[in-house]
Amino acid sequence: QKEVEQDPGPLSVPEGAIVSLNCTYSNSAFQYFMWYRQYSRKGPELLMYTYSSGNKEDGRFTAQVDKSSKYISLFIRDSQPSDSATYLCAMRHNQGGKLIFGQGTELSVKP
Amino acid sequence: NAGVTQTPKFRILKIGQSMTLQCTQDMNHNYMYWYRQDPGMGLKLIYYSVGAGITDKGEVPNGYNVSRSTTEDFPLRLELAAPSQTSVYFCASSYSENWAFFGQGTRLTVV
């Protein structure tokens, strides 16, 4: 079983839709959770960063962590064509070290 | 600040050749990572380092070697290149358990 599972999509939505992206994980030692956005032929860039459980909001983006279910989510409100990218979840242990990524979900927002 | 710099950006290797992918960061980060990204497969960790002189294997270390003689540099060595090593390689760095910053990637083709 992979440590981090993410539906690769692709996911296509109309402009203005609410997008939900999700990851599940198997290792209960993960404490730091991140979402990265990667545009085509570019390196990933950090979008959201959360420590332990709870919600975090930044503009149109909301990250949720449910450690009891080993499940994290990223919500994008009022999606825009510029949000079209691959979204990767990532997580690491409390003791630092390895940063493990999901497969990434390819999102396309149609005008 | 330049951030994380990778060289070269592109390279074509013949089977059996060797090469070193260079990575340098100017943020004084203690953690550094090498990932490879294949289409639809997300980022797979090759090697990582938690500080100068300390390296450890990730998920897919076979066929690669690393060294970390300084805080700034973390080169990745490919010995006896194989077609299976055709991929996009990303170097990243972070300060302890914080999020990682990525370079722009090296596209490697082995023919």
Side-chain angles (χ1 to χ4, degrees):
Chain A
Q1 183 186 6
K2 292 180 181 177
E3 282 193 284
V4 181
E5 299 269 8
Q6 184 177 7
D7 186 343
L11 182 61
S12 182
V13 302
E15 184 175 355
I18 296 174
V19 177
S20 172
L21 304 167
N22 311 294
C23 287
T24 59
Y25 63 95
S26 58
N27 192 333
S28 58
F30 286 139
Q31 292 278 3
Y32 299 85
F33 304 92
M34 287 144 270
W35 286 95
Y36 282 81
R37 178 174 60 196
Q38 185 178 23
Y39 290 115
S40 181
R41 305 181 84 83
K42 298 289 188 182
E45 55 180 352
L46 182 75
L47 200 56
M48 300 286 281
Y49 173 81
T50 310
Y51 171 69
S52 194
S53 285
N55 294 358
K56 188 171 185 178
E57 189 172 321
D58 184 1
R60 296 184 295 111
F61 299 89
T62 300
Q64 288 186 349
V65 176
D66 181 350
K67 292 193 69 183
S68 62
S69 302
K70 296 191 181 70
Y71 188 86
I72 69 170
S73 300
L74 177 71
F75 297 96
I76 306 174
R77 291 183 299 278
D78 187 25
S79 57
Q80 303 294 309
S82 59
D83 295 328
S84 297
T86 296
Y87 290 80
L88 300 127
C89 64
M91 46 198 83
R92 73 193 320 161
H93 303 146
N94 193 38
Q95 299 304 315
K98 293 189 289 187
L99 180 61
I100 304 297
F101 281 81
Q103 286 178 275
T105 300
E106 185 180 350
L107 172 68
S108 178
V109 181
K110 303 296 187 184
Chain B
N1 276 350
V4 179
T5 302
Q6 291 183 237
T7 56
K9 288 186 171 51
F10 306 92
R11 183 73 185 265
I12 298 175
L13 274 183
K14 292 185 178 178
I15 294 171
Q17 286 186 322
S18 301
M19 77 164 292
T20 299
L21 281 66
Q22 302 291 346
C23 176
T24 187
Q25 52 93 7
D26 61 1
M27 297 173 281
N28 201 33
H29 286 167
N30 47 344
Y31 287 27
M32 294 188 76
Y33 311 84
W34 274 107
Y35 291 90
R36 60 176 288 172
Q37 187 174 38
D38 301 310
M41 298 301 290
L43 290 159
K44 292 194 182 296
L45 183 64
I46 305 171
Y47 271 95
Y48 69 104
S49 169
V50 299
I54 306 170
T55 62
D56 207 347
K57 295 178 181 178
E59 303 167 85
V60 290
N62 291 345
Y64 307 94
N65 276 301
V66 293
S67 60
R68 184 95 182 271
S69 57
T70 67
T71 299
E72 294 79 19
D73 301 306
F74 191 41
L76 178 71
R77 178 83 177 161
L78 278 72
E79 305 282 3
L80 298 174
S84 61
Q85 292 178 305
T86 293
S87 189
V88 181
Y89 292 84
F90 287 101
C91 178
S93 72
S94 71
Y95 178 69
S96 296
E97 287 80 20
N98 286 346
W99 55 89
F101 293 84
F102 281 80
Q104 289 303 298
T106 295
R107 292 184 175 273
L108 176 68
T109 302
V110 181
V111 296

